[in-house]
Amino acid sequence: GIHDLAGKADAKDFLSFSCDDFNANNFADYFYEIGFDDDVLLRFDDDKEFLDYLGDNDDLQRYPIVDIALDSRNFFAFCDELDEIMKFTQNARTFIEAYLFDFRTPMMKVELEC
């Protein structure tokens, strides 16, 4: 589907998923905020235990955010990687913004792949 962005303020929050956006202090907080509901996963406050559980759970390894977590050393490295991804997407949005909000453009299909 095509996302309905009513204005530039909507575009600012589009795909926003940094640790600061959710006020997360550890992996369990962050994954809870983005919609994971695995009770066992969400009880781990320790980074190593959380990452070990992710690594052992094949069902969870189909999500790209899990790959990012598994590639990180700890929660802070994970957050730094998400910040880099957010900078990239912000630059992409800045570039295409003129086309998205130009009234002369009847429809524009945009695919962002991270």
Side-chain angles (χ1 to χ4, degrees), residues 91-102:
N91 289 339
R93 283 193 306 268
T94 300
F95 177 75
I96 63 173
E97 184 177 89
Y99 301 101
L100 286 175
F101 299 107
D102 185 344

Side-chain angles (χ1 to χ4, degrees), residues 52-89:
D52 287 346
Y53 182 80
L54 277 182
D56 293 339
N57 191 321
D58 293 336
D59 291 336
L60 295 174
Q61 292 183 20
R62 66 178 183 259
Y63 300 104
I65 196 72
V66 170
D67 293 336
I68 295 169
L70 289 172
D71 289 342
S72 65
R73 303 177 303 285
N74 56 48
F75 182 68
F76 299 108
F78 171 76
C79 292
D80 290 343
E81 180 63 23
L82 290 181
D83 289 342
E84 289 299 314
I85 293 169
M86 289 304 301
K87 286 178 191 174
F88 174 81
T89 58

Side-chain angles (χ1 to χ4, degrees), residues 97-110:
E97 184 177 89
Y99 301 101
L100 286 175
F101 299 107
D102 185 344
F103 68 93
R104 296 168 294 187
T105 306
M107 175 73 74
M108 180 178 171
K109 292 183 182 179
V110 176

Side-chain angles (χ1 to χ4, degrees), residues 13-86:
D13 296 330
F14 184 61
L15 296 176
S16 187
F17 56 87
S18 74
C19 297
D20 293 336
D21 293 328
F22 296 125
N23 215 11
N25 297 311
N26 58 37
F27 282 115
D29 290 346
Y30 182 85
F31 275 71
Y32 171 77
E33 291 294 334
I34 63 171
F36 280 73
D37 61 358
D38 183 319
D39 292 336
V40 175
L41 178 71
L42 298 177
R43 72 178 165 87
F44 293 117
D45 287 335
D46 180 69
D47 289 349
K48 183 173 177 358
E49 290 177 349
F50 188 95
L51 294 173
D52 287 346
Y53 182 80
L54 277 182
D56 293 339
N57 191 321
D58 293 336
D59 291 336
L60 295 174
Q61 292 183 20
R62 66 178 183 259
Y63 300 104
I65 196 72
V66 170
D67 293 336
I68 295 169
L70 289 172
D71 289 342
S72 65
R73 303 177 303 285
N74 56 48
F75 182 68
F76 299 108
F78 171 76
C79 292
D80 290 343
E81 180 63 23
L82 290 181
D83 289 342
E84 289 299 314
I85 293 169
M86 289 304 301

